[in-house]
Amino acid sequence: MNNKIKTLGLNLLLLAIAIVTLAPFVWMVSASFMPNGEAFVFPPKFLPDTFSLTQYEKLFTRINIGRFFLNSFILSVSVTFISLFFNSMAGFVFAKYKFAGKDKLFKLLLSSMIIPAQVTMLPLFLMLKEMGFINTYLAIIIPGMANIFGIFLIKQYAESIPDSLIEAAKIDGASDFQIYYKIFLPVIKPILVTLALFTFMGTWNDFIWPLIALSDQSMFTLPVALANLMGEHSQDPELMMAGSTLTILPIIIVFLVLQKQYIKGIMLGSVKE
Amino acid sequence: MIDASNKYGITKAVALFLSPALSAIFIFFFLPVFAALAMSFTDFGLYSLADWRYTRFVGFDNYVKLFNDPLFWQALKNTFYFVLVAGPLSVAVSLFAAISLNSKFAKFKSFFRLAFFLPVVTTLVAVAIVFRFVYHPHFGLLNYLLGFFGISPIDWLGDPDWAMPAIILMAVWKNFGYNMIIFTAGLQNIPSQLYEAAEIEGANAWRKFYQITLPLLTPTTLFIGVITLIGFFQLFAEPYIMTQGGPLNSTLSIVQYMYREGFRWWNMGYSAALAFVLFAVIFLGTLIQLKLKGKDE
Amino acid sequence: MAKVELKNVSKIYMGGHKAVDNVSFNIDDKEFVVLVGPSGCGKTTTLRMIAGLEELSDGEIFIDGKPVKNVPPKDRNIAMVFQNYALYPHMTVYENMAFGLKIRKFPKNEIKKMVEETAEILELEKLLNRKPKVLSGGQRQRVALGRAIVRKPKVFLFDEPLSNLDAKLRVQMRAEISKLHRKLGATMIYVTHDQREAMTMGDRIVVMKDGIIRQIDKPLRLYRFPKDQFVAGFIGSPAMNFIKGKMVFENGLPALRASGGFLYRFDERLKEKLSKYINENAALGIRPENIALNGSSEQSYKAEIELIEPLGAESLYYLNLFGDKLIAKAQPLNDDLKYETVGITFPKEKVHLFVNEKAVSLK
């Protein structure tokens, strides 16, 4: 009896939290299907009176959100692939090779993770401007080519696979590069998926750097475009909700498909030092 | 492990593997850090953008100016307000959620975990826009729901006293799921025999929480504390989207002020000094937490 | 045809730790040599240096008469079997065995022939399309062997290959590897910490401790004529008993006196030989199986039985002799013999003497 009350109470509480976390999303999707003005009434509506695609139509025809979508997609995919390649090579070396100074080098990298990215942004902007990359895809891709957290994550995972696997391949006659792509990459596939997910989502969701580096409308990513749109349409919740829905949707889909890897990655990344 | 040392230091293959990532990090991360430091001692501004020769070395002028800049103090105060309230609050909510989900009485665990986690992965800018409407004084969802409890409408984002709490609430809502996952991992590492032993000795739920769960989670809590601190000090998109730093600069954050000075007014030397103050604050915060950890061990 | 020679080989790690210290020995063609010793003795490091996985700090290794210092592992004509099998988890059994051949660009049909031949020897034919994770420990071990054999290397290196298997399977695999050795006629170097494995498998055994070779010998010679106290204690199970004391003269004869009052007198004929050791630290060694219970010869001692462990054919008697703890292994005397005092004797020809840890011949 006592346990029944506990079960009921706890689950009601969990349900209440879940409602709080999900309600904004539900309202967002719902409002995105409302015609103009319907979401700005009192009392607020939870469902559209008439299901309308007006906002999405407007986004694609008048606001050209397809272009921003494409920008976000191209950038997220290229940053993901390039950084996966660079990070996995470095992680491979840090996990499976030894040479003088390796530990010191890695410690230096790790400890610099506390430097906030904002510190680098001013000179980075000037550098990329000198190179002529501001307002191009390269302005986002170049700083994202490699990152310390990715190297750390791969190293952390790769240390759990036995060294003897690499040594066996070496005795079998494989060159360092053959070991990397015939043994190492297939074996660390789970963490590659996780890291790909992190990087894709991180790039997709990133705001401050694209805001700085991309000033030309046609180069905007979705978050930058949304923020910009908000300036003109702060009284159009329906339109903004449609834009937000479109921005969030790909992320949610990717996450729902690969949530296990994502969660595992967080746990692995949180293994201290 | 493969020995990669040779008479040149390291073998060619290893150098080839390392160089893409390391050169990217050195050129586009470390180098800018030092450049920013150098910049913070100059008056790098709009004219310097046209021709770098207009830049002058000004010593600690930027830092002195900061020290006398009321807006800087305001931004620093706001940022600390945010970090010191949202930080502990989100850690507490994370821990609470993790323990609840870890309980044997909880049902539909994977659904709840997913629901709690969803805000973490979603785009901050989009979420901030949604919340701007949720917080709307007349038509917003939140005031409507509070109305049922007899609470009269609050101008969440328009009232200088409420704007920061509104941003804090959203930050907690968005981020607690992440730390919840890390706490869950920490909780699962506590051997269940400890709880069984305590139960045999007649300890109640509170006692078990205080004397087993909390002490054994200390390393996890400190780790979470550090990453939350680092993340929260970089507050930017929320005020940028929801309040533009207002009303009356009550939500202006350090990063936002830095962005404004550096990329709106092109006072890049001054902005670099701001960035280094942010770095120093984060560094000190981390140091304090690590000291606490050292004491603990 | 492959001889392996180690000449003054040393390995010093960063920080100055000497893992292998001036080790020299030769392994003949087709010989099965076991490197044995406690963990940290340098046996695995030695093996890895032969494999080329570890650089030499000093000395030289010759395989087939050629120095291999600058020869990478793949060109040393060796194969290695690892403790954790090190099977490539993303490849099938077939692909695991074929990997080295593919890398070496063997033609496809030849690879197929070689893998199938090897699979037949090891009875792996039915498993060729499986991934390692669905195999049992014993099967994985056989695949690891197969991957080593398939290339027909001249030298096989084994790094504790059986230590992850359960006791029963270990005995079985021991026999299988020995059989394989006879069949392939290849040189094999085998590392283990298990002296029993060393004794049963090796043509010769190299006993190492702290990076130094303590003794190289055939198994039974190692058992009978250990060169020092460490080897004596390491080989044989249960381990040899040692009674520590000092060499003294007792009634004009050399003797060993332990602090607890135990005294062992040596023969008159050893007087001259042992007199130079008087006042040195010494230990009397006697194997458990050599202690005679209820004996009544010239030198018999009263010992207290503290515990009896019946093993079936034999029993282990835990004895207290003037405060020294000894273990005796003997036929069960009778069921009545409980915790009481017995007379024990040490047969003269079975006693070992170690002065300052070094064996002294009592012949």
Side-chain angles (χ1 to χ4, degrees), chain B residues 68-297:
Chain B
N68 296 310
D69 179 354
L71 207 51
F72 161 71
W73 289 110
Q74 177 76 39
L76 195 66
K77 200 190 85 192
N78 294 340
T79 308
F80 267 94
Y81 179 11
F82 176 77
V83 170
L84 293 182
V85 178
L89 197 59
S90 86
V91 172
V93 175
S94 312
L95 181 58
F96 179 78
I99 290 176
S100 305
L101 274 183
N102 210 36
S103 155
K104 60 184 178 211
F105 298 114
K107 309 274 177 207
F108 315 110
K109 286 185 189 190
S110 44
F111 166 75
F112 285 131
R113 190 167 294 140
L114 187 66
F116 298 175
F117 197 76
L118 217 48
V120 173
V121 295
T122 49
T123 314
L124 181 55
V125 168
V127 162
I129 288 173
V130 173
F131 268 72
R132 219 176 119 165
F133 294 109
V134 169
Y135 281 141
H136 195 277
H138 306 304
F139 311 120
L141 216 51
L142 185 59
N143 276 346
Y144 173 69
L145 291 176
L146 290 177
F148 289 112
F149 300 95
I151 298 171
S152 46
I154 297 169
D155 188 1
W156 288 101
L157 300 174
D159 183 333
D161 290 334
W162 281 111
M164 190 52 97
I167 286 177
I168 289 171
L169 273 185
M170 190 197 105
V172 172
W173 174 88
K174 174 134 184 12
N175 292 308
F176 85 91
Y178 189 88
N179 293 337
M180 175 189 77
I181 298 294
I182 302 177
F183 270 132
T184 305
L187 283 174
Q188 282 163 0
N189 280 339
I190 300 177
S192 59
Q193 292 95 315
L194 288 181
Y195 292 105
E196 286 156 12
E199 206 145 312
I200 289 166
E201 283 166 29
N204 60 20
W206 276 113
R207 237 189 140 68
K208 280 190 267 178
F209 174 72
Y210 271 116
Q211 301 203 321
I212 299 174
T213 312
L214 220 46
L216 286 177
L217 273 185
T218 310
T220 312
T221 314
L222 278 162
F223 172 78
I224 285 175
V226 170
I227 58 164
T228 306
L229 185 96
I230 294 179
F232 278 8
F233 266 117
Q234 300 177 28
L235 175 71
F236 175 71
E238 296 93 329
Y240 183 92
I241 301 287
M242 292 163 77
T243 59
Q244 292 81 48
L248 300 176
N249 293 320
S250 64
T251 56
L252 180 72
S253 72
I254 290 278
V255 174
Q256 205 185 348
Y257 190 39
M258 188 209 111
Y259 169 80
R260 214 185 257 178
E261 285 295 324
F263 295 103
R264 273 286 155 77
W265 316 126
W266 305 107
N267 293 325
M268 295 184 105
Y270 192 55
S271 180
L274 269 162
F276 268 89
V277 171
L278 175 76
F279 179 26
V281 167
I282 289 179
F283 185 74
L284 284 176
T286 309
L287 218 59
I288 290 169
Q289 296 220 6
L290 292 179
K291 271 268 146 52
L292 285 175
K293 181 181 172 185
K295 215 183 248 171
D296 185 66
E297 272 160 4

Side-chain angles (χ1 to χ4, degrees), chain A residues 92-105:
Chain A
F92 176 46
V93 169
F94 280 116
K96 295 299 167 202
Y97 286 83
K98 57 181 177 190
F99 53 87
K102 185 186 89 167
D103 294 341
K104 276 195 189 121
L105 182 62

